[in-house]
Amino acid sequence: MIHSMKDAPLKNKNIVIRLDLNVPVQDGKVTDTTRIDRVKPTIDTLRESGVAKITILSHFGRPKGEEKPEFSLGFLPPVLSRCWGVDVGFGPDTAEKITLLENLRFSPGEEENDPNFAKELAVHGDIYINDAFSVSHRAHASVEAITKFLPSYAGLNLHKEIDALEKALSTPKRPVAAIIGGAKVSSKLSLIKNLLPKMDMIVLGGGMANTFFLAEGHDVGKSLAEADMTAEAKSILTEAKAQNCEIILPMDGLMAKEFAKGADYRETSIDNIANDEMMLDIGTQSAEMIKEKLGAAKTVLWNGPMGAFEIPPFDHGTVAVARYVAARTKSGDVLSIGGGGDTVSALSHAGVSDDFSYISTAGGAFLEWLEGKTLPGIAALDR
Ligand code: AMP
């Protein structure tokens, strides 16, 4: 049983809280504050509960256990102060009531789940809170080992995230469909395999679909595909039949000679891709067919866009399917859950961010949860 921080004796306590403040930064500016804004209610609740001090732990980028100035979190406290409307200090020795510690991944102990490093972190508090679902698939010191030294609780977002995902996956309303697209083919093939026994249908789009076309003997030209994964794709298709899970593949697409905004393209069937073309989006017929198939679903899980949605017109398929799922969610016919960084952007691009039942900003953790894997950070709270 995971205890929420709402049940913790917070008054006058020093809190150590793990957040995911690994925000996107361009030219020294934070370009998207979603991750910061999402934890504001947690910070507000802690303050209203009369805690003594809040020490925030986060990683930023991949400094790989070394102190690299370009990965310092020193730039962030003013941004946090602005977003949360409260002063935030930097480092352990500030006078502020809320302080952010330096990038956890400056210490090799973080990713090694080193108990000694965890102990150093635990020194800052009487109570530990994990409000970073997106890193909970990692057995890292600030996520796992630290729970051995302090009474540990789930933050408001983490709790909400688990509730939403459990609702969708433990006893989903059937039929349940997964939409898997995007470009990370090899890592997602194992996901698809693990989803087969749980799903009634799996819609494949984006770069994912191309590897399956190859497996079925189609020529995919210059399309993103992983030729060395075709055997795996074939075995998924066979296994799906045995598991009674319908695999839905596009039948047409938008083919272009270059991966560029406004590139010339033609819409044609997937057995008609020229050698110098790549499929950058699903076609109109496929979008219609996918919508029709999804019409039967009561639960829809989504990770990965149907095409290269960042470069119009190759956003059509993603937008069409996203709006359809959003409309069915709004009418109460479907419980829909989207997850993963690119999926969040794709759904936002389609203008449906507020219309899905739940959108998880977590990438890896969301996928591992879908696969039914135990997340070390969550298991650590469950004792
Ligand atoms: P992922 O992180 O695996 O969800 O992949 C997201 C990325 O996949 C996005 O940046 C898309 O532009 C890209 N993508 C989707 N479909 C295609 C495609 N058919 N060809 C190339 N890239 C694609």
Side-chain angles (χ1 to χ4, degrees), residues 20 130 168:
D20 180 359
N130 177 355

Side-chain angles (χ1 to χ4, degrees), residues 20 31 40 59 76 108 110 138 140 148-149 156 160 175 179 183 191 193 216 231 265 275 284 312-313 322 364 377:
D20 180 359
T31 53
K40 184 174 187 292
H59 70 286
L76 204 54
E110 166 64 358
R138 309 266 187 227
H140 289 176
K148 301 194 174 116
F149 302 103
L156 302 184
K160 215 161 96 185
I179 304 174
L191 162 74
K193 204 159 207 171
E216 288 187 328
Y265 70 92
N275 281 341
T284 318

